[in-house]
Amino acid sequence: MELRTERLLLRPFTPGDLTALHTWHSDPEVVRYLFWDVLDHDGARDLLERRLGRVTVPEADGESIHFAVQYGTEVIGDVHLELLSAEQRCAEIGYVFGGAHAGQGFAGEAARELLRFGFADLALHRIVAKCAAEHLASQAVLRKIGMRQEACFVEALRVKGAWVSEQEWAILEHEWRG
């Protein structure tokens, strides 16, 4: 399965994506708001192996689909959609992009395509995203793609030894179509 945007190809990960995946997951600024710390080569290989198995459309609660985001011939990011509830037709999206590609609209473009995929192809009713309250760049992406902040859970998560506030953003199918 592949998805395309004007500039990007969202495609299944391949074993050849290890170097790219390691590049951004070993950057302290990129993983600053993720639950794990920087990954060494072996850690990136383990993550890639988990991504390789996630290439089918999610049908049951907790299943997800992961895409490598390719710009030209270069893999620059990682996006996913996880089905939270098949009965409620609700999913969560997420994204991670290498620091060298920040500020160029790639995260928004890929996330916008995940919304289209979720609503148009999977007939979802609601899509959510979560981000650290301190992660202003991620909030800007979510705002740009039409999501709204619905909640902020103050110091709700312990990440890398510190309490972090988590925001939840959402968009409904009819809002996306409007």
Coordinates of all heavy atoms in Angstrom, one line a residue, residues 90-163:
C90 N -12.7 5.4 15.3 CA -11.7 6.4 15.8 C -10.3 5.9 15.7 O -10.0 4.7 16.0 CB -12.1 6.7 17.3 SG -11.0 8.0 18.0
A91 N -9.4 6.8 15.3 CA -8.0 6.4 15.1 C -7.1 7.6 15.6 O -7.6 8.7 15.8 CB -7.7 6.1 13.7
E92 N -5.8 7.3 15.8 CA -4.8 8.3 16.2 C -3.8 8.3 15.1 O -3.3 7.3 14.6 CB -4.2 7.9 17.5 CG -3.2 8.9 18.0 CD -2.6 8.5 19.4 OE1 -3.2 7.7 20.1 OE2 -1.5 9.0 19.7
I93 N -3.3 9.5 14.8 CA -2.2 9.6 13.9 C -1.0 10.2 14.7 O -1.1 10.8 15.7 CB -2.5 10.6 12.7 CG1 -2.8 12.0 13.2 CG2 -3.6 10.0 11.8 CD1 -2.8 13.1 12.1
G94 N 0.2 9.9 14.1 CA 1.5 10.4 14.7 C 2.5 10.5 13.6 O 2.4 9.9 12.5
Y95 N 3.6 11.3 13.9 CA 4.6 11.5 12.9 C 5.9 11.9 13.6 O 5.9 12.4 14.7 CB 4.2 12.6 11.9 CG 3.6 13.8 12.6 CD1 4.4 14.8 13.2 CD2 2.2 14.0 12.7 CE1 3.9 15.9 13.8 CE2 1.7 15.1 13.4 CZ 2.5 16.0 13.9 OH 1.9 17.1 14.5
V96 N 7.0 11.5 12.9 CA 8.4 11.9 13.3 C 9.1 12.2 12.1 O 9.2 11.4 11.1 CB 9.1 10.7 14.1 CG1 10.5 11.1 14.5 CG2 8.2 10.3 15.3
F97 N 9.8 13.3 12.1 CA 10.6 13.7 10.9 C 12.0 14.1 11.3 O 12.2 14.7 12.4 CB 9.9 14.9 10.2 CG 8.8 14.5 9.3 CD1 7.6 14.2 9.8 CD2 9.0 14.3 7.9 CE1 6.5 13.7 9.0 CE2 8.0 13.8 7.1 CZ 6.7 13.5 7.7
G98 N 13.0 13.9 10.5 CA 14.3 14.3 10.7 C 14.5 15.8 10.8 O 13.8 16.5 10.1
G99 N 15.4 16.2 11.7 CA 15.6 17.6 11.9 C 15.9 18.4 10.7 O 15.6 19.6 10.5
A100 N 16.6 17.8 9.7 CA 17.1 18.5 8.5 C 15.9 18.9 7.7 O 16.0 19.7 6.8 CB 18.0 17.6 7.7
H101 N 14.7 18.2 7.9 CA 13.5 18.5 7.1 C 12.4 19.2 7.8 O 11.3 19.4 7.3 CB 13.0 17.2 6.5 CG 14.0 16.5 5.7 ND1 14.9 15.6 6.1 CD2 14.3 16.7 4.4 CE1 15.7 15.2 5.1 NE2 15.4 15.8 4.1
A102 N 12.8 19.8 9.0 CA 11.8 20.5 9.8 C 11.5 21.9 9.1 O 12.4 22.4 8.4 CB 12.4 20.8 11.2
G103 N 10.3 22.4 9.3 CA 10.0 23.7 8.8 C 9.7 23.8 7.3 O 9.6 24.9 6.8
Q104 N 9.6 22.7 6.6 CA 9.4 22.7 5.2 C 8.0 22.2 4.8 O 7.7 22.0 3.6 CB 10.5 21.8 4.5 CG 11.9 22.4 4.7 CD 13.0 21.5 4.1 OE1 12.8 21.1 2.9 NE2 14.0 21.2 4.8
G105 N 7.2 22.0 5.8 CA 5.8 21.5 5.5 C 5.6 20.0 5.3 O 4.5 19.6 5.0
F106 N 6.7 19.2 5.4 CA 6.5 17.8 5.1 C 5.6 17.1 6.2 O 4.8 16.3 5.8 CB 7.9 17.1 5.1 CG 8.8 17.6 4.0 CD1 10.0 18.1 4.3 CD2 8.4 17.5 2.7 CE1 10.9 18.6 3.2 CE2 9.2 17.9 1.6 CZ 10.4 18.5 1.9
A107 N 5.8 17.4 7.4 CA 4.9 16.8 8.5 C 3.5 17.1 8.2 O 2.6 16.2 8.3 CB 5.4 17.2 9.9
G108 N 3.2 18.3 7.9 CA 1.8 18.7 7.7 C 1.2 18.0 6.4 O 0.1 17.5 6.4
E109 N 2.0 17.9 5.4 CA 1.6 17.3 4.1 C 1.3 15.8 4.3 O 0.3 15.3 3.9 CB 2.7 17.5 3.1 CG 2.3 17.1 1.7 CD 3.3 17.5 0.6 OE1 4.0 18.5 0.8 OE2 3.4 16.8 -0.4
A110 N 2.2 15.1 5.1 CA 2.0 13.7 5.3 C 0.8 13.5 6.3 O 0.0 12.6 6.0 CB 3.3 13.1 5.9
A111 N 0.7 14.3 7.3 CA -0.4 14.2 8.3 C -1.7 14.4 7.6 O -2.7 13.7 7.8 CB -0.2 15.1 9.4
R112 N -1.8 15.4 6.7 CA -3.0 15.7 5.9 C -3.4 14.5 5.1 O -4.6 14.2 5.0 CB -2.7 16.9 5.1 CG -4.0 17.6 4.6 CD -3.7 18.9 3.8 NE -3.2 19.9 4.7 CZ -1.9 20.4 4.6 NH1 -1.1 20.0 3.7 NH2 -1.5 21.3 5.5
E113 N -2.4 13.8 4.5 CA -2.7 12.6 3.7 C -3.2 11.5 4.6 O -4.1 10.7 4.2 CB -1.5 12.2 2.9 CG -1.7 10.9 2.1 CD -2.8 11.0 1.1 OE1 -3.3 12.1 0.7 OE2 -3.2 9.9 0.5
L114 N -2.7 11.4 5.9 CA -3.2 10.4 6.8 C -4.7 10.7 7.1 O -5.5 9.7 7.3 CB -2.4 10.3 8.1 CG -1.0 9.6 8.0 CD1 -0.4 9.7 9.4 CD2 -1.1 8.2 7.5
L115 N -5.0 12.0 7.3 CA -6.4 12.3 7.5 C -7.3 11.9 6.4 O -8.4 11.3 6.5 CB -6.6 13.8 7.8 CG -6.0 14.4 9.0 CD1 -6.3 15.9 9.1 CD2 -6.5 13.7 10.3
R116 N -6.8 12.2 5.1 CA -7.6 11.8 3.9 C -7.8 10.3 3.9 O -8.9 9.8 3.7 CB -6.9 12.3 2.7 CG -7.7 12.1 1.4 CD -6.9 11.8 0.2 NE -6.1 10.6 0.3 CZ -6.5 9.3 0.2 NH1 -7.8 9.0 0.1 NH2 -5.6 8.3 0.3
F117 N -6.7 9.6 4.1 CA -6.7 8.1 4.1 C -7.7 7.6 5.2 O -8.6 6.7 4.9 CB -5.3 7.6 4.4 CG -5.2 6.1 4.6 CD1 -5.5 5.2 3.6 CD2 -4.9 5.6 5.9 CE1 -5.4 3.8 3.8 CE2 -4.8 4.2 6.1 CZ -5.0 3.3 5.1
G118 N -7.7 8.1 6.4 CA -8.5 7.7 7.5 C -10.0 8.0 7.2 O -10.9 7.1 7.4
F119 N -10.3 9.2 6.7 CA -11.7 9.5 6.5 C -12.2 9.0 5.2 O -13.3 8.4 5.2 CB -11.9 11.0 6.6 CG -11.7 11.6 7.9 CD1 -10.9 12.7 8.2 CD2 -12.4 11.1 9.0 CE1 -10.7 13.2 9.4 CE2 -12.2 11.6 10.3 CZ -11.4 12.7 10.5
A120 N -11.5 9.1 4.1 CA -12.0 8.7 2.8 C -11.9 7.2 2.6 O -12.8 6.6 2.0 CB -11.3 9.5 1.7
D121 N -10.8 6.6 3.0 CA -10.6 5.2 2.7 C -11.0 4.3 3.8 O -11.5 3.2 3.5 CB -9.1 4.9 2.4 CG -8.6 5.7 1.1 OD1 -9.4 6.2 0.4 OD2 -7.4 5.7 0.9
L122 N -10.9 4.7 5.0 CA -11.3 3.8 6.1 C -12.6 4.2 6.8 O -13.0 3.5 7.7 CB -10.2 3.9 7.2 CG -8.8 3.5 6.8 CD1 -7.8 3.5 8.0 CD2 -8.7 2.1 6.2
A123 N -13.2 5.2 6.3 CA -14.6 5.7 6.8 C -14.6 5.9 8.3 O -15.5 5.6 9.0 CB -15.6 4.6 6.4
L124 N -13.5 6.5 8.8 CA -13.4 6.9 10.2 C -14.3 8.0 10.5 O -14.7 8.9 9.6 CB -12.0 7.2 10.6 CG -11.0 6.1 10.5 CD1 -9.6 6.6 10.8 CD2 -11.3 5.0 11.5
H125 N -14.7 8.2 11.7 CA -15.6 9.3 12.2 C -14.7 10.3 12.9 O -15.0 11.5 12.8 CB -16.6 8.8 13.2 CG -17.3 9.8 13.9 ND1 -18.2 10.7 13.3 CD2 -17.3 10.2 15.2 CE1 -18.7 11.6 14.2 NE2 -18.2 11.3 15.3
R126 N -13.7 9.9 13.6 CA -12.9 10.8 14.4 C -11.4 10.4 14.4 O -11.1 9.2 14.5 CB -13.4 10.8 15.8 CG -12.6 11.6 16.9 CD -13.3 11.4 18.3 NE -12.5 11.9 19.3 CZ -12.5 13.1 19.7 NH1 -13.3 14.0 19.2 NH2 -11.8 13.5 20.7
I127 N -10.5 11.4 14.2 CA -9.1 11.1 14.3 C -8.5 12.1 15.3 O -8.8 13.3 15.3 CB -8.4 11.3 12.9 CG1 -9.0 10.3 11.9 CG2 -6.9 11.2 13.0 CD1 -8.4 10.4 10.5
V128 N -7.6 11.5 16.2 CA -7.0 12.3 17.2 C -5.5 12.2 17.0 O -4.9 11.4 16.3 CB -7.3 11.7 18.6 CG1 -8.8 11.8 18.9 CG2 -6.8 10.4 18.9
A129 N -4.8 13.2 17.7 CA -3.4 13.2 17.7 C -3.0 13.7 19.1 O -3.7 14.5 19.7 CB -2.8 14.1 16.7
K130 N -1.8 13.3 19.6 CA -1.4 13.7 20.9 C 0.0 14.3 20.8 O 0.8 13.8 20.0 CB -1.3 12.6 21.9 CG -2.7 12.0 22.2 CD -2.7 10.8 23.1 CE -4.1 10.3 23.3 NZ -4.1 9.0 24.0
C131 N 0.3 15.3 21.6 CA 1.6 15.9 21.6 C 1.9 16.6 22.9 O 1.0 16.9 23.7 CB 1.8 16.9 20.4 SG 1.0 18.5 20.6
A132 N 3.2 16.7 23.2 CA 3.6 17.4 24.5 C 3.2 18.8 24.4 O 3.3 19.5 23.3 CB 5.1 17.2 24.7
A133 N 2.7 19.4 25.5 CA 2.3 20.8 25.5 C 3.5 21.7 25.2 O 3.2 22.8 24.7 CB 1.7 21.1 26.9
E134 N 4.7 21.3 25.4 CA 5.8 22.1 25.1 C 6.3 22.0 23.6 O 7.2 22.8 23.2 CB 7.0 21.7 26.0 CG 6.8 21.8 27.5 CD 5.9 20.7 28.1 OE1 5.7 19.6 27.4 OE2 5.4 20.9 29.2
H135 N 5.7 21.1 22.9 CA 6.1 20.9 21.5 C 5.4 21.8 20.5 O 4.4 21.4 19.9 CB 5.9 19.4 21.1 CG 6.7 19.0 19.9 ND1 7.1 19.8 18.9 CD2 7.1 17.7 19.6 CE1 7.7 19.1 18.0 NE2 7.8 17.9 18.4
L136 N 5.8 23.0 20.5 CA 5.1 24.1 19.7 C 5.1 23.8 18.2 O 4.1 24.1 17.5 CB 5.7 25.4 19.9 CG 5.7 25.9 21.4 CD1 6.4 27.3 21.5 CD2 4.3 25.9 22.0
A137 N 6.1 23.2 17.7 CA 6.2 22.8 16.2 C 5.1 21.8 15.9 O 4.4 21.9 14.8 CB 7.5 22.4 15.8
S138 N 4.9 20.8 16.7 CA 3.9 19.8 16.5 C 2.5 20.4 16.6 O 1.6 20.1 15.8 CB 4.0 18.6 17.4 OG 3.2 17.6 17.0
Q139 N 2.3 21.3 17.5 CA 1.0 22.0 17.7 C 0.7 22.8 16.4 O -0.4 22.8 15.9 CB 1.0 22.9 18.9 CG 1.1 22.1 20.2 CD 1.3 23.1 21.3 OE1 0.8 24.2 21.3 NE2 2.1 22.7 22.3
A140 N 1.7 23.4 15.8 CA 1.5 24.2 14.6 C 1.1 23.3 13.5 O 0.2 23.7 12.7 CB 2.8 25.0 14.3
V141 N 1.7 22.1 13.4 CA 1.3 21.1 12.3 C -0.2 20.7 12.5 O -1.0 20.8 11.5 CB 2.2 19.9 12.3 CG1 1.6 18.8 11.5 CG2 3.6 20.3 11.9
L142 N -0.5 20.4 13.7 CA -1.9 19.9 14.0 C -2.9 21.0 13.7 O -4.0 20.8 13.1 CB -2.0 19.4 15.4 CG -1.2 18.2 15.7 CD1 -1.2 17.9 17.2 CD2 -1.6 17.0 14.9
R143 N -2.6 22.2 14.0 CA -3.5 23.4 13.8 C -3.6 23.6 12.2 O -4.7 23.8 11.7 CB -2.9 24.6 14.4 CG -3.9 25.8 14.6 CD -3.3 26.9 15.4 NE -3.2 26.6 16.8 CZ -2.0 26.4 17.5 NH1 -0.9 26.5 16.8 NH2 -2.0 26.0 18.7
K144 N -2.5 23.5 11.5 CA -2.5 23.7 10.1 C -3.4 22.7 9.3 O -3.9 23.0 8.3 CB -1.1 23.6 9.5 CG -0.5 24.9 9.3 CD 0.9 24.8 8.6 CE 1.7 26.0 8.8 NZ 3.0 25.9 8.4
I145 N -3.4 21.4 9.8 CA -4.2 20.4 9.1 C -5.6 20.4 9.6 O -6.4 19.5 9.2 CB -3.5 19.0 9.2 CG1 -3.5 18.5 10.7 CG2 -2.1 19.0 8.6 CD1 -3.1 17.0 10.8
G146 N -6.0 21.4 10.4 CA -7.4 21.5 10.7 C -7.9 20.9 12.0 O -9.1 20.9 12.3
M147 N -6.9 20.4 12.8 CA -7.3 19.8 14.1 C -7.5 20.8 15.1 O -6.9 21.9 15.0 CB -6.3 18.7 14.5 CG -6.2 17.5 13.5 SD -5.1 16.2 14.0 CE -6.2 15.2 14.9
R148 N -8.2 20.5 16.2 CA -8.4 21.5 17.3 C -7.9 20.8 18.6 O -8.1 19.6 18.7 CB -9.8 21.9 17.4 CG -10.7 20.8 17.9 CD -12.2 21.2 18.0 NE -13.0 20.1 18.2 CZ -13.2 19.1 17.3 NH1 -12.6 19.1 16.1 NH2 -13.9 18.0 17.6
Q149 N -7.4 21.6 19.4 CA -7.0 21.1 20.7 C -8.3 20.9 21.6 O -9.1 21.8 21.7 CB -6.0 22.0 21.5 CG -5.6 21.5 22.8 CD -4.8 22.5 23.6 OE1 -4.2 23.4 23.0 NE2 -4.7 22.3 24.9
E150 N -8.4 19.7 22.1 CA -9.6 19.4 22.9 C -9.3 19.3 24.4 O -10.1 19.5 25.2 CB -10.2 18.1 22.5 CG -10.9 18.2 21.1 CD -11.8 17.0 20.8 OE1 -11.5 15.9 21.3 OE2 -12.7 17.2 20.1
A151 N -8.0 19.0 24.7 CA -7.7 18.8 26.1 C -6.2 19.0 26.3 O -5.4 18.9 25.4 CB -8.1 17.4 26.6
C152 N -5.9 19.3 27.6 CA -4.5 19.4 28.0 C -4.4 18.7 29.4 O -5.0 19.2 30.3 CB -3.9 20.8 28.1 SG -2.2 20.8 28.5
F153 N -3.7 17.6 29.4 CA -3.6 16.8 30.7 C -2.3 17.2 31.3 O -1.2 16.9 30.9 CB -3.7 15.3 30.4 CG -4.9 14.9 29.7 CD1 -5.0 14.8 28.3 CD2 -6.1 14.8 30.4 CE1 -6.2 14.4 27.7 CE2 -7.3 14.5 29.8 CZ -7.3 14.3 28.4
V154 N -2.4 18.0 32.4 CA -1.2 18.7 33.0 C -0.4 17.6 33.8 O -0.9 16.9 34.6 CB -1.7 19.8 34.0 CG1 -0.5 20.4 34.7 CG2 -2.5 20.8 33.2
E155 N 0.9 17.6 33.4 CA 1.9 16.7 34.0 C 1.3 15.3 34.1 O 1.4 14.6 35.1 CB 2.3 17.2 35.4 CG 3.1 18.5 35.3 CD 3.7 19.0 36.6 OE1 3.6 18.2 37.6 OE2 4.2 20.1 36.6
A156 N 0.7 14.8 33.0 CA 0.1 13.5 33.0 C 1.0 12.3 32.7 O 0.7 11.2 32.9 CB -1.1 13.5 32.0
L157 N 2.1 12.6 32.1 CA 3.1 11.6 31.6 C 4.4 11.8 32.2 O 4.9 12.9 32.3 CB 3.2 11.6 30.1 CG 1.9 11.3 29.3 CD1 2.1 11.5 27.9 CD2 1.3 9.9 29.6
R158 N 5.1 10.7 32.5 CA 6.5 10.8 32.9 C 7.3 10.4 31.7 O 7.2 9.2 31.2 CB 6.7 9.8 34.1 CG 8.0 10.0 34.8 CD 7.8 10.4 36.2 NE 9.0 10.4 37.0 CZ 9.7 11.5 37.3 NH1 9.2 12.7 37.1 NH2 10.8 11.4 38.0
V159 N 8.1 11.3 31.2 CA 8.9 11.1 30.0 C 10.3 11.4 30.3 O 10.6 12.6 30.7 CB 8.4 11.9 28.8 CG1 9.2 11.6 27.6 CG2 6.9 11.5 28.5
K160 N 11.2 10.5 30.2 CA 12.7 10.7 30.4 C 12.9 11.4 31.8 O 13.7 12.3 31.9 CB 13.2 11.5 29.2 CG 13.1 10.8 27.9 CD 13.6 11.6 26.7 CE 13.3 10.8 25.5 NZ 12.8 11.5 24.4
G161 N 12.2 10.9 32.8 CA 12.4 11.4 34.1 C 11.8 12.7 34.5 O 11.9 13.2 35.6
A162 N 11.0 13.3 33.6 CA 10.3 14.5 33.9 C 8.8 14.4 33.6 O 8.4 13.6 32.7 CB 10.9 15.6 33.0
W163 N 8.0 15.1 34.4 CA 6.6 15.2 34.1 C 6.3 16.1 32.9 O 6.8 17.2 32.8 CB 5.8 15.7 35.3 CG 5.8 14.7 36.5 CD1 6.5 14.8 37.6 CD2 5.1 13.5 36.5 NE1 6.3 13.7 38.4 CE2 5.4 12.9 37.7 CE3 4.2 12.9 35.7 CZ2 4.9 11.6 38.1 CZ3 3.7 11.7 36.0 CH2 4.0 11.1 37.2

